[in-house]
């Protein structure tokens, strides 16, 4: 029997529960977001048929057409990629959660009456191209988000750098999150952990895992 995305999802859920148990955490407080970038809508349908409802995309155009194609399903879409301010309002139409707020200009572009859940992305590298706000810039950005109508700050998001032990990197996010909570007590969520490092992220308190290839299999060659 071929291994399907639904089989891989089940294996990931088992591994998540196991990592949660080791960390003495309740697996029920951890959301697995299946990141489906570069994969067709049919793969999302397969996972939805297996009962999954949280999906992530990182590129606006692809996400826009995929979510339109899947509008008959009751899914929660998470936008996890870098976001241009001029695309912000369009992303808001299909995404319930935005994981990548990293600057004041984007906060302005996202203001609206209708609320959206959001994470501030923290950059754990020295490279601004990786996306995310620096630790130094974090308090001011938290303040901007708290004063913007229509944005509910859920917590922090980060991607572990390639050249650092993931557990150490995620510990830095947890520490930053403690400082954020002094300003925004409800911003308790942590969006961190991908296919290769979700167990380490769970050990440091991750509440939202963004898992792509471990669920979808390898990305199809890009057209
Ligand atoms: C693609 C992507 C993921 C998932 O990565 P995998 O290594 O395939 O699990 C997570 N977060 C972001 C921001 C992504 O772009």
């Amino acid at each position: 029997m071929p291994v399907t995305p639904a089989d891989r999802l089940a294996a990931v859920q088992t591994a998540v529960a196991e990592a949660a148990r080791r960390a003495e955490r309740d697996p029920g407080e951890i959301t697995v977001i299946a990141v489906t970038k570069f994969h067709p809508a049919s793969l999302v349908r397969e996972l939805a048929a297996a009962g999954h409802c949280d999906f992530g995309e990182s590129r606006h155009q692809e996400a826009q057409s995929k979510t339109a194609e899947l509008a008959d399903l009751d899914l929660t879409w998470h936008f996890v990629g870098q976001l241009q301010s001029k695309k912000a309002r369009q992303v808001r139409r299909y995404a319930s959660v935005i994981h990548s707020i990293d600057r004041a200009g984007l906060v302005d572009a996202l203001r609206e009456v209708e609320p959206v859940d959001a994470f501030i992305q923290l950059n754990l590298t020295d490279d601004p191209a990786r996306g995310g706000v620096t630790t130094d810039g974090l308090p001011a950005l938290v303040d901007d988000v708290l004063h913007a109508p229509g944005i509910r700050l859920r917590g922090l998001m980060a991607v572990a750098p390639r050249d650092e032990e993931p557990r150490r990197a995620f510990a830095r996010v947890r520490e930053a999150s403690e400082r954020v909570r002094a300003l925004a007590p409800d911003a308790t969520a942590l969006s961190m952990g991908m296919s290769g490092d979700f167990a380490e992220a769970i050990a440091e308190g991750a509440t939202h895992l963004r898992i792509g290839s471990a669920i979808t299999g390898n990305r199809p060659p890009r057209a």
Side-chain angles (χ1 to χ4, degrees):
M1 290 264 285
V3 179
T4 66
D7 295 336
R8 282 191 290 261
L9 172 63
V12 164
Q13 299 279 22
T14 303
V16 166
E18 176 62 21
R21 200 189 52 72
R22 279 199 306 273
E24 295 177 4
R25 296 187 53 204
D26 173 6
E29 68 183 29
I30 300 171
T31 301
V32 173
I33 300 164
V35 179
T36 48
K37 59 169 180 256
F38 307 132
H39 289 277
S42 57
L43 183 141
V44 176
R45 259 186 213 287
E46 251 181 276
L47 293 169
H52 199 71
C53 29
D54 285 280
F55 292 91
E57 286 286 333
S58 60
R59 302 184 319 158
H60 166 60
Q61 268 173 352
E62 178 183 348
Q64 191 175 43
S65 59
K66 213 178 288 181
T67 54
E69 209 175 323
L70 295 163
D72 57 309
L73 299 177
D74 188 16
L75 305 176
T76 299
W77 287 99
H78 298 253
F79 191 84
V80 303
Q82 290 188 27
L83 181 51
Q84 289 175 271
S85 297
K86 63 179 187 210
K87 299 286 163 61
R89 296 185 86 81
Q90 294 178 56
V91 169
R92 248 177 160 288
R93 294 204 191 104
Y94 57 81
S96 308
V97 192
I98 294 174
H99 288 244
S100 45
I101 292 188
D102 62 357
R103 58 198 190 276
L106 183 55
V107 176
D108 278 341
L110 284 165
R111 297 168 165 263
E112 219 174 272
V113 178
E114 199 60 38
V116 69
D117 282 355
F119 290 80
I120 290 178
Q121 182 176 355
L122 187 63
N123 189 345
L124 298 175
T125 74
D126 298 327
D127 177 4
R130 299 295 299 274
V133 66
T134 60
T135 307
D136 288 348
L138 183 58
L141 190 57
V142 169
D143 197 57
D144 283 337
V145 171
L146 293 178
H147 288 93
I151 308 180
R152 276 191 301 246
L153 184 60
R154 298 290 313 279
L156 290 181
M157 179 275 222
V159 177
R162 280 186 268 264
D163 57 357
E164 185 178 358
E165 194 64 43
R167 176 108 192 225
R168 265 199 50 179
F170 295 139
R172 292 202 278 142
V173 185
R174 184 173 42 69
E175 285 156 20
S177 152
E178 281 157 23
R179 292 195 297 276
V180 168
R181 273 180 288 163
L183 307 168
D186 295 335
T188 55
L190 289 175
S191 168
M192 58 191 196
M194 315 198 326
S195 293
D197 55 22
F198 64 82
E200 289 88 344
I202 289 169
E204 293 300 333
T207 59
H208 291 69
L209 312 175
R210 307 178 314 272
I211 303 184
S213 50
I215 296 173
T216 60
N218 288 331
R219 283 172 199 129
R222 295 179 64 175

